[in-house]
Amino acid sequence: DGGITQSPKYLFRKEGQNVTLSCEQNLNHDAMYWYRQDPGQGLRLIYYSQIVNDFQKGDIAEGYSVSREKKESFPLTVTSAQKNPTAFYLCASSGTGDYNEQFFGPGTRLTVL
Amino acid sequence: GQNIDQPTEMTATEGAIVQINCTYQTSGFNGLFWYQQHAGEAPTFLSYNVLDGLEEKGRFSSFLSRSKGYSYLLLKELQMKDSASYLCAPLDSNYQLIWGAGTKLIIKP
């Protein structure tokens, strides 16, 4: 089955630690995205990548880093510089033509203790 | 700047019809998506409009007026499982989705 996987579903970390969230897709999509969602809020774009070995900052990139070494994978690292990291993190992928429906993974809920 | 405006919350009765409005201002426009998001889950695709008019898909329909920067999602024969947030997301000139905060729809028996 084609789709996007994110792991883990729930993640706890201590303040001051870096943590990496996994995102893998087998939809053969060129573009991948990371969003953050806080309770009662919309999706805010952290980073996106339209091609391997290239990525762009979104609206709230500070305190986050990404890599895109393979087409299928787009891991997100939440660094200790992110001041308020507790949130729901969503990864998505899409094609890069005119029609850009984004397909989402199940999300990772990160809690900083 | 870019802006999406949707009602924060709406309540409707099972079996009824509800219309969720969305107005938008974006840098360029290349279509508009509606997504459904149940609490704690990922958004799922509902509809896409790129031309003016109504697109019907089963119990759900979506309307677009590009000149007015306006769209709505119409849900008919409401079911309890339709309780969710509905996200309006236009595509800007760079083909990036601009996400609204969403409308939380509460269905009552």
Side-chain angles (χ1 to χ4, degrees):
Chain A
D1 286 334
I4 303 178
T5 58
Q6 289 184 245
S7 61
K9 190 168 179 64
Y10 298 95
L11 187 58
F12 298 87
R13 80 155 217 224
K14 292 183 179 179
E15 206 169 325
Q17 290 180 336
N18 291 357
V19 62
T20 297
L21 281 57
S22 166
C23 178
E24 304 277 333
Q25 56 99 0
N26 60 4
L27 299 169
N28 199 34
H29 284 159
D30 286 314
M32 296 187 75
Y33 311 81
W34 273 106
Y35 292 97
R36 170 184 172 136
Q37 189 174 35
D38 293 288
Q41 304 295 314
L43 278 65
R44 291 189 289 168
L45 184 64
I46 305 172
Y47 269 99
Y48 65 99
S49 168
Q50 294 186 308
I51 196 168
V52 174
N53 291 323
D54 187 50
F55 48 83
Q56 310 294 329
K57 292 183 178 180
D59 300 321
I60 55 165
E62 185 175 349
Y64 300 97
S65 65
V66 294
S67 62
R68 187 85 187 277
E69 296 176 2
K70 298 187 300 181
K71 186 175 184 177
E72 302 80 15
S73 179
F74 191 41
L76 173 74
T77 297
V78 185
T79 75
S80 56
Q82 169 49 234
K83 294 180 181 178
N84 192 16
T86 294
F88 187 44
Y89 290 88
L90 286 158
C91 179
S93 70
S94 75
T96 53
D98 292 351
Y99 178 76
N100 281 357
E101 178 187 344
Q102 291 188 12
F103 296 80
F104 285 84
T108 293
R109 189 165 298 279
L110 173 65
T111 302
V112 175
L113 305 172
Chain B
Q2 309 205 91
N3 187 59
I4 314 298
D5 194 22
Q6 300 179 238
T8 302
E9 189 174 295
M10 299 181 71
T11 302
T13 304
E14 191 176 15
I17 299 173
V18 70
Q19 178 174 312
I20 301 174
N21 295 324
C22 170
T23 57
Y24 62 88
Q25 289 177 305
T26 55
S27 302
F29 179 79
N30 284 297
L32 186 143
F33 288 86
W34 283 94
Y35 279 78
Q36 180 190 60
Q37 186 179 25
H38 286 99
E41 298 181 8
T44 55
F45 170 80
L46 285 178
S47 70
Y48 172 70
N49 295 67
V50 66
L51 299 176
D52 290 352
L54 188 68
E55 293 278 345
E56 297 186 77
K57 192 187 288 188
R59 294 189 298 115
F60 292 10
S61 303
S62 56
F63 172 83
L64 176 67
S65 169
R66 289 172 295 172
S67 62
K68 295 182 179 178
Y70 168 69
S71 175
Y72 69 72
L73 182 69
L74 190 71
L75 292 75
K76 302 176 185 175
E77 301 169 15
L78 286 169
Q79 302 175 9
M80 297 303 292
K81 68 179 182 179
D82 297 329
S83 291
S85 289
Y86 292 86
L87 310 178
C88 168
L91 270 170
D92 70 8
S93 57
N94 294 320
Y95 292 93
Q96 293 296 323
L97 279 175
I98 309 301
W99 294 90
T103 297
K104 183 178 181 180
L105 178 63
I106 299 168
I107 310 297
K108 296 187 174 180

